Coordinates of all heavy atoms in Angstrom, one line a residue:
E1 N -51.5 -194.1 37.4 CA -50.9 -194.4 36.1 C -51.8 -195.6 35.4 O -52.2 -195.4 34.4 CB -49.5 -194.6 36.2 CG -48.9 -194.7 34.8 CD -49.0 -193.5 33.8 OE1 -49.3 -192.3 34.4 OE2 -48.7 -193.4 32.6
L2 N -51.9 -196.6 36.3 CA -52.8 -197.8 35.7 C -54.2 -197.3 35.3 O -54.7 -197.7 34.2 CB -52.7 -198.9 36.7 CG -51.6 -199.8 36.8 CD1 -51.5 -200.6 38.1 CD2 -51.2 -200.6 35.6
N3 N -54.9 -196.5 36.2 CA -56.1 -196.1 35.9 C -56.2 -195.1 34.6 O -57.1 -195.2 33.7 CB -56.8 -195.3 37.0 CG -57.1 -196.3 38.2 OD1 -57.5 -197.4 37.9 ND2 -57.1 -195.7 39.4
L4 N -55.0 -194.4 34.5 CA -55.1 -193.6 33.3 C -55.0 -194.5 32.0 O -55.5 -194.1 30.9 CB -53.8 -192.6 33.3 CG -53.6 -191.8 32.1 CD1 -54.7 -190.7 32.0 CD2 -52.3 -190.8 32.5
I5 N -54.0 -195.4 31.9 CA -53.8 -196.3 31.0 C -55.1 -196.9 30.7 O -55.6 -197.1 29.5 CB -52.7 -197.4 31.3 CG1 -51.4 -196.7 31.3 CG2 -52.7 -198.5 30.1 CD1 -50.2 -197.5 31.8
K6 N -55.8 -197.5 31.6 CA -57.2 -198.1 31.4 C -58.2 -197.2 30.8 O -58.9 -197.7 29.7 CB -57.7 -198.6 32.7 CG -57.1 -199.9 33.3 CD -57.7 -200.3 34.6 CE -56.9 -201.4 35.4 NZ -57.4 -201.6 36.8
D7 N -58.3 -196.1 31.2 CA -59.2 -195.1 30.5 C -58.8 -194.8 29.2 O -59.7 -194.6 28.2 CB -59.2 -193.9 31.5 CG -59.8 -194.0 32.8 OD1 -60.5 -195.1 32.9 OD2 -59.6 -193.1 33.7
A8 N -57.5 -194.6 29.0 CA -57.0 -194.3 27.6 C -57.2 -195.4 26.6 O -57.8 -195.2 25.4 CB -55.5 -194.2 27.6
V9 N -57.1 -196.6 27.1 CA -57.5 -197.9 26.2 C -59.0 -197.7 25.9 O -59.4 -198.0 24.7 CB -57.2 -199.2 26.8 CG1 -57.7 -200.4 26.1 CG2 -55.7 -199.4 27.1
K10 N -59.8 -197.5 26.8 CA -61.3 -197.4 26.5 C -61.6 -196.2 25.6 O -62.4 -196.5 24.5 CB -62.1 -197.1 27.8 CG -63.6 -197.2 27.6 CD -64.5 -196.9 28.9 CE -65.9 -197.2 28.7 NZ -66.5 -196.4 27.6
V11 N -61.0 -195.1 25.7 CA -61.1 -194.0 24.7 C -60.8 -194.4 23.3 O -61.5 -194.3 22.2 CB -60.4 -192.7 25.2 CG1 -60.4 -191.7 24.2 CG2 -61.0 -192.3 26.5
A12 N -59.6 -195.1 23.2 CA -59.2 -195.6 21.8 C -60.1 -196.6 21.3 O -60.5 -196.5 20.1 CB -57.7 -196.2 22.0
N13 N -60.6 -197.5 22.1 CA -61.5 -198.6 21.6 C -62.8 -197.9 21.1 O -63.3 -198.4 20.2 CB -61.8 -199.6 22.7 CG -60.6 -200.5 22.9 OD1 -60.5 -201.3 23.9 ND2 -59.6 -200.5 22.2
D14 N -63.2 -197.0 21.8 CA -64.5 -196.3 21.5 C -64.3 -195.5 20.1 O -65.5 -195.3 19.4 CB -64.9 -195.3 22.5 CG -65.5 -195.9 23.9 OD1 -65.8 -197.3 23.8 OD2 -65.6 -195.3 24.9
L15 N -63.1 -195.3 19.7 CA -62.9 -194.6 18.5 C -62.4 -195.6 17.4 O -62.0 -195.1 16.4 CB -61.7 -193.5 18.7 CG -62.0 -192.3 19.5 CD1 -60.8 -191.6 19.8 CD2 -63.0 -191.4 18.9
D16 N -62.6 -196.9 17.7 CA -62.4 -197.9 16.8 C -60.9 -198.0 16.4 O -60.4 -198.4 15.3 CB -63.1 -197.9 15.5 CG -64.6 -198.3 15.8 OD1 -64.9 -199.1 16.6 OD2 -65.4 -197.4 15.1
L17 N -60.0 -197.7 17.4 CA -58.5 -197.9 17.3 C -58.2 -199.1 17.9 O -58.6 -199.2 19.1 CB -57.7 -196.7 17.9 CG -57.9 -195.3 17.1 CD1 -57.4 -194.1 18.1 CD2 -57.0 -195.3 15.9
E18 N -57.3 -200.0 17.3 CA -56.8 -201.1 18.1 C -55.6 -200.5 18.8 O -55.1 -199.4 18.7 CB -56.1 -202.0 17.1 CG -57.1 -202.6 16.1 CD -56.5 -203.8 15.3 OE1 -55.4 -203.5 14.6 OE2 -57.1 -204.8 15.1
V19 N -55.4 -201.3 20.0 CA -54.5 -200.8 21.0 C -53.4 -201.7 21.5 O -53.6 -203.0 21.8 CB -55.2 -200.3 22.4 CG1 -54.2 -199.8 23.4 CG2 -56.3 -199.3 22.1
A20 N -52.2 -201.3 21.2 CA -51.1 -202.1 21.7 C -50.4 -201.4 23.0 O -50.8 -200.1 23.1 CB -50.0 -202.4 20.6
A21 N -49.4 -201.9 23.6 CA -48.8 -201.3 24.7 C -47.3 -201.7 24.7 O -47.0 -202.8 24.3 CB -49.5 -201.5 26.0
G22 N -46.6 -200.8 25.2 CA -45.0 -201.2 25.4 C -44.1 -200.3 26.0 O -44.5 -199.1 26.0
H23 N -43.1 -200.6 26.3 CA -41.9 -199.7 26.8 C -41.7 -200.0 28.3 O -42.7 -199.7 29.1 CB -42.0 -198.3 26.5 CG -40.7 -197.5 26.6 ND1 -39.9 -197.6 25.6 CD2 -40.1 -196.9 27.6 CE1 -38.7 -196.9 25.9 NE2 -38.9 -196.5 27.1
G24 N -40.6 -200.5 28.6 CA -40.4 -200.8 30.0 C -40.9 -202.1 30.7 O -40.8 -202.5 31.9
L25 N -41.8 -202.9 29.7 CA -42.5 -204.0 30.3 C -41.5 -205.1 30.6 O -40.6 -205.4 29.7 CB -43.6 -204.4 29.5 CG -44.7 -203.3 29.3 CD1 -45.8 -203.9 28.3 CD2 -45.4 -203.0 30.6
N26 N -41.7 -205.9 31.6 CA -40.8 -207.0 32.0 C -41.5 -208.1 32.7 O -42.8 -208.0 32.8 CB -39.6 -206.6 32.8 CG -39.9 -205.9 34.0 OD1 -41.0 -206.4 34.7 ND2 -39.1 -205.0 34.6
Y27 N -40.9 -209.1 33.0 CA -41.6 -210.4 33.6 C -42.2 -210.0 35.0 O -43.1 -210.8 35.4 CB -40.5 -211.4 33.8 CG -39.8 -211.8 32.6 CD1 -38.7 -211.4 32.0 CD2 -40.5 -213.0 31.9 CE1 -38.2 -211.7 30.8 CE2 -39.9 -213.4 30.6 CZ -38.8 -212.9 30.3 OH -38.3 -213.2 29.0
Q28 N -41.9 -209.0 35.7 CA -42.4 -208.6 36.9 C -43.6 -207.7 36.9 O -44.6 -207.9 37.6 CB -41.3 -207.9 37.8 CG -40.3 -208.7 38.3 CD -39.2 -209.2 37.2 OE1 -38.9 -208.3 36.5 NE2 -39.0 -210.5 37.3
N29 N -43.6 -206.9 35.8 CA -44.7 -205.9 35.7 C -45.8 -206.0 34.7 O -46.7 -205.4 34.6 CB -44.1 -204.4 35.8 CG -43.4 -204.2 34.4 OD1 -43.7 -204.7 33.3 ND2 -42.4 -203.2 34.4
V30 N -45.5 -207.0 33.8 CA -46.3 -207.1 32.6 C -47.7 -207.6 32.9 O -48.7 -207.2 32.1 CB -45.6 -208.0 31.7 CG1 -45.8 -209.6 32.1 CG2 -46.2 -207.9 30.3
K31 N -48.0 -208.3 33.8 CA -49.3 -208.8 34.1 C -50.5 -207.8 34.2 O -51.4 -207.9 33.7 CB -49.4 -209.7 35.3 CG -49.1 -211.2 34.9 CD -49.6 -212.2 36.0 CE -49.4 -213.6 35.5 NZ -50.4 -213.8 34.5

């Protein structure tokens, strides 16, 4: 899942889309 998110960010950036992320993030998993 982490690799999928990384690849998705790259695809979006290559299309000149800014990227945010969220849902379920907390102090333990956010880094």
Side-chain angles (χ1 to χ4, degrees):
E1 187 66 16
L2 280 169
N3 287 332
L4 179 61
I5 294 171
K6 287 176 185 176
D7 290 343
V9 173
K10 186 178 187 307
V11 169
N13 287 165
D14 287 346
L15 291 170
D16 292 324
L17 286 166
E18 292 187 316
V19 181
H23 203 78
L25 298 179
N26 59 33
Y27 297 89
Q28 289 73 46
N29 66 26
V30 73
K31 270 198 169 294

